[in-house]
């Protein structure tokens, strides 16, 4: 019974050490989040000093009017102001997204310069579609407006061409539903005659992180090319064709009013003031960083307890199989070394990239722990076996971090495999006979002699 209590005490001690190691691991995890927040703050500051993510909505033709009508009840004339909106029949955008990095200290943001041309046509009905009581309507000057989420990114060489005539570009859309943007004044008299009108907008636009387009046309076609090799296509519509390579990407989108239902969403925005669906019905691309060191460090430290637990489990097996006693202090040193691996990984990845930082951190920790364990076991061969096992754990952790979609199944297989190996190795052990702590090597400075009563 005494021997069984010794074994139980050792197991409880190991579990307690693992629990105590949660303290430095939690502190390192908090530091990762702090550094990530600092990075995001710097990136936002860079974006604020240039231009934020851009979304293009439009063009729309906006026709304000005043309607005069007579009410018999009070025998007076009344005036009612309103606005007519016309969506383009076609919307075609071709753009070249040139991405560059801008650094501030150790942090960097991805800025882009978008040179694009938007072409298409409008079909305007005669008298703007007013078929009765036309004499009661007084049409004001119409405009063609394009919503641009951050107009600070518009360069001076942008052009607005309507029906082959170059328009002066004015700031604003004169409509709160479209937000900020640009507009051009149109001739009400010629537009009222109705017909097919072409347009061409040449925009040079600066932004950060992402670019989006609202499918405003009854037929919408968008083609983007870029030198950025890591796009993330998002929004309500994915590209019908895309080509991603190391030199950059090319993507084509195509949609229509039946799929986008933009007119209905815009009416809800006007009538019910419910603009969420209209404003967020877009598609585009985000310029992601595939090697976000903070994100990967955060994912890595989530495996810390599993990592430490498996290492301690290996220690414990050596104790049982080789009948060696490893002191809890020695467990603590190895556990702290494993925890500091994640701090070393975080600090190095900010300067040399995650992959190289992981390699340097892993080699450093494996070398120190391998040397220490070899001294504990007082056996070079057994120390090498433990070092190789630890190396395999680091390799497996790196594979898990780079296989995000398969990390769960791979982690499950890893744990199951290690458990299976442990069961195979210990299948012939009589746990009642090995319940007492094994003898230690008296030559070791931390050795403590124990008497075993058979």
């Amino acid at each position: 019974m005494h021997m069984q209590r010794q074994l139980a005490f050792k197991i409880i001690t190991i579990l307690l050490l693992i629990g105590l190691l949660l303290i430095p691991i939690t502190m390192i995890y908090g530091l990762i989040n702090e550094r990530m927040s600092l990075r995001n703050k710097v990136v936002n500051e860079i974006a604020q000093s240039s231009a934020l993510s851009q979304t293009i909505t439009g063009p729309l033709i906006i026709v304000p009017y005043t309607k005069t009508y007579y009410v018999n009840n009070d025998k007076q004339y009344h005036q009612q102001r309103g606005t007519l909106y016309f969506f383009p029949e076609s919307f075609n955008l071709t753009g070249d997204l040139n991405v560059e990095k801008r650094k501030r200290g150790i942090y960097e943001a991805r800025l882009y310069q978008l040179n694009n041309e938007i072409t298409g046509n409008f079909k305007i009905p005669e008298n703007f579609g007013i078929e009765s009581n036309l004499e009661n309507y007084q049409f004001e000057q119409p405009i063609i407006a394009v919503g641009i989420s951050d107009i600070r990114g518009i360069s001076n060489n942008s052009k607005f061409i309507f029906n082959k005539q170059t328009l002066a570009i004015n700031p604003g859309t004169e409509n709160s539903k479209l937000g900020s943007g640009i507009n051009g004044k149109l001739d009400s008299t010629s537009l009222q005659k109705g017909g097919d009108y072409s347009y061409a907008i040449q925009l040079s636009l600066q932004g950060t992180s992402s670019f989006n387009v609202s499918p405003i046309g009854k037929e919408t076609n968008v083609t983007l090319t870029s030198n950025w090799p890591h796009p993330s296509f998002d929004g309500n519509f994915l590209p019908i064709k895309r080509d991603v390579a190391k030199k950059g990407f090319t993507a084509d989108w195509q949609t229509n009013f039946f799929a986008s239902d933009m007119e209905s969403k815009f009416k809800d925005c006007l009538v019910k003031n419910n603009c969420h669906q209209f404003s967020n019905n877009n598609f585009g691309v985000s310029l992601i960083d595939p090697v976000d060191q903070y994100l990967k460090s955060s994912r890595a430290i989530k495996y810390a307890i599993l990592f430490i637990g498996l290492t301690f489990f290996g220690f414990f097996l050596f104790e049982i199989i080789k009948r060696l006693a490893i002191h809890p202090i020695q467990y603590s040193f190895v556990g702290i070394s494993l925890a500091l691996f994640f701090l070393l990984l975080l600090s190095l990845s900010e300067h040399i990239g995650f992959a190289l930082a992981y390699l340097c951190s892993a080699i450093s920790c494996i070398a120190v722990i391998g040397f220490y364990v070899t001294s504990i076991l007082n056996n070079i061969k057994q120390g090498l076996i433990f070092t190789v096992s630890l190396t395999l754990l680091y390799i497996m952790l790196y594979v898990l971090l780079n296989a995000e979609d398969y990390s769960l199944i791979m982690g499950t297989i890893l744990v199951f495999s290690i458990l299976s190996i442990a069961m195979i190795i210990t299948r012939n052990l009589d746990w009642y006979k090995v319940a007492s702590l094994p003898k230690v090597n008296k030559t070791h400075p931390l050795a403590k002699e124990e008497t075993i009563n058979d």
Side-chain angles (χ1 to χ4, degrees):
M1 183 64 69
H2 175 68
M3 297 177 181
Q4 293 176 3
R5 283 198 300 267
Q6 283 185 308
L7 182 62
F9 176 77
K10 188 60 174 287
I11 294 174
I12 293 172
T13 302
I14 294 173
L15 293 176
L16 180 61
L17 286 174
I18 294 176
L20 289 174
L21 286 171
L22 278 173
I23 297 174
I25 290 171
T26 302
M27 294 174 65
I28 296 172
Y29 184 73
L31 181 61
I32 292 174
N33 290 331
E34 180 183 329
R35 301 293 288 184
M36 187 185 299
S37 297
L38 180 60
R39 188 272 310 272
N40 293 339
K41 180 181 177 181
V42 172
V43 170
N44 288 334
E45 288 175 354
I46 295 174
Q48 290 289 347
S49 63
S50 54
L52 303 174
S53 299
Q54 297 286 12
T55 299
I56 292 180
T57 306
L60 290 179
I61 289 182
I62 303 174
V63 185
Y65 68 85
T66 301
K67 180 182 177 181
T68 303
Y69 59 95
Y70 183 78
V71 179
N72 289 325
N73 293 337
D74 53 14
K75 297 181 180 182
Q76 290 183 1
Y77 284 94
H78 295 266
Q79 287 187 335
Q80 177 184 356
R81 293 185 59 82
T83 308
L84 298 174
Y85 299 90
F86 297 93
F87 284 70
E89 292 291 313
S90 61
F91 175 94
N92 306 295
L93 185 149
T94 303
D96 182 19
L97 202 68
N98 185 39
V99 182
E100 62 179 19
K101 295 180 180 180
R102 186 168 297 178
K103 285 193 172 185
R104 182 177 295 178
I106 62 174
Y107 305 108
E108 63 181 23
R110 293 172 293 283
L111 276 69
Y112 61 79
Q113 186 71 36
L114 174 65
N115 297 310
N116 66 75
E117 183 176 27
I118 305 171
T119 60
N121 69 296
F122 286 90
K123 286 186 178 180
I124 307 298
E126 186 178 0
N127 297 320
F128 301 117
I130 304 299
E131 298 179 352
S132 61
N133 301 320
L134 180 62
E135 65 279 2
N136 294 338
Y137 287 83
Q138 182 180 354
F139 299 105
E140 301 175 17
Q141 186 176 48
I143 63 170
I144 179 171
V146 180
I148 298 172
S149 56
D150 192 345
I151 59 174
R152 295 177 304 159
I154 303 175
S155 66
N156 294 329
N157 58 350
S158 300
K159 291 184 179 180
F160 221 145
I161 301 172
F162 185 80
N163 211 29
K164 299 182 180 179
Q165 293 183 351
T166 301
L167 306 178
I169 297 179
N170 305 301
T173 61
E174 299 187 9
N175 187 280
S176 60
K177 309 303 181 184
L178 289 178
S180 60
I182 56 176
N183 75 81
K185 306 294 184 182
L186 302 177
D187 181 37
S188 177
T189 303
S190 61
L191 200 63
Q192 191 172 347
K193 296 177 182 178
D196 196 331
Y197 300 88
S198 64
Y199 67 89
I201 306 169
Q202 296 176 1
L203 271 180
S204 183
L205 198 62
Q206 188 181 67
T208 49
S209 301
S210 67
F211 171 71
N212 293 282
V213 176
S214 294
I216 207 73
K218 294 181 180 178
E219 292 288 338
T220 299
N221 298 280
V222 174
T223 298
L224 284 179
T225 59
S226 175
N227 62 341
W228 187 254
H230 310 292
S232 174
F233 302 108
D234 42 37
N236 292 348
F237 304 93
L238 293 177
I240 60 171
K241 181 181 178 182
R242 59 185 176 182
D243 181 24
V244 181
K246 291 183 178 180
K247 61 181 180 180
F249 73 87
T250 300
D252 298 322
W253 289 264
Q254 190 176 73
T255 186
N256 53 52
F257 259 18
F258 296 104
S260 64
D261 195 25
M262 287 296 282
E263 280 191 345
S264 175
K265 291 178 172 61
F266 189 63
K267 287 179 181 177
D268 286 342
C269 181
L270 293 174
V271 177
K272 302 178 182 178
N273 203 29
N274 180 17
C275 298
H276 177 76
Q277 287 187 326
F278 174 74
S279 302
N280 292 280
N281 189 30
N282 51 48
F283 58 83
V285 60
S286 296
L287 310 173
I288 64 171
D289 185 357
V291 189
D292 187 335
Q293 67 268 21
Y294 298 112
L295 182 60
K296 288 201 169 185
S297 295
S298 178
R299 290 186 59 211
I301 203 168
K302 292 177 182 177
Y303 293 96
I305 290 300
L306 175 64
F307 207 61
I308 294 172
L310 290 176
T311 305
F312 281 8
F313 181 65
F315 261 34
F316 186 70
L317 284 181
F318 267 103
E319 282 196 82
I320 298 301
I321 297 173
K322 299 298 181 180
R323 296 189 63 77
L324 298 169
I326 301 177
H327 198 277
I329 292 179
Q330 295 168 322
Y331 273 93
S332 301
F333 282 142
V334 173
I336 293 172
S337 298
L338 292 171
L340 288 177
F341 159 77
F342 298 99
L343 182 60
L344 190 60
L345 174 62
L346 171 64
S347 58
L348 288 177
S349 64
E350 290 185 330
H351 300 277
I352 62 176
F354 184 83
L356 186 57
Y358 190 96
L359 179 63
C360 295
S361 302
I363 290 176
S364 300
C365 290
I366 290 171
V368 170
I369 295 174
F371 175 78
Y372 187 65
V373 171
T374 301
S375 300
I376 293 175
L377 301 178
N378 199 26
N379 188 305
I380 295 178
K381 181 180 178 180
Q382 293 174 1
L384 287 175
I385 292 174
F386 187 89
T387 303
V388 170
S389 301
L390 188 61
T391 302
L392 292 176
L393 271 181
Y394 275 104
I395 293 174
M396 197 63 192
L397 176 61
Y398 188 78
V399 172
L400 286 174
L401 295 177
N402 287 277
E404 184 175 356
D405 294 337
Y406 304 97
S407 59
L408 178 60
I409 188 171
M410 292 179 66
T412 304
I413 292 174
L414 171 64
V415 175
F416 182 78
S417 300
I418 292 176
L419 178 62
S420 300
I421 293 171
M423 291 173 68
I424 293 171
I425 293 175
T426 61
R427 67 189 185 278
N428 296 321
L429 280 179
D430 186 341
W431 289 93
Y432 285 104
K433 290 185 178 180
V434 300
S436 62
L437 291 176
K439 292 181 179 180
V440 297
N441 185 355
K442 296 182 181 180
T443 61
H444 195 277
L446 292 179
K448 180 180 178 182
E449 185 174 359
E450 298 173 1
T451 301
I452 300 178
N453 299 318
D454 295 329

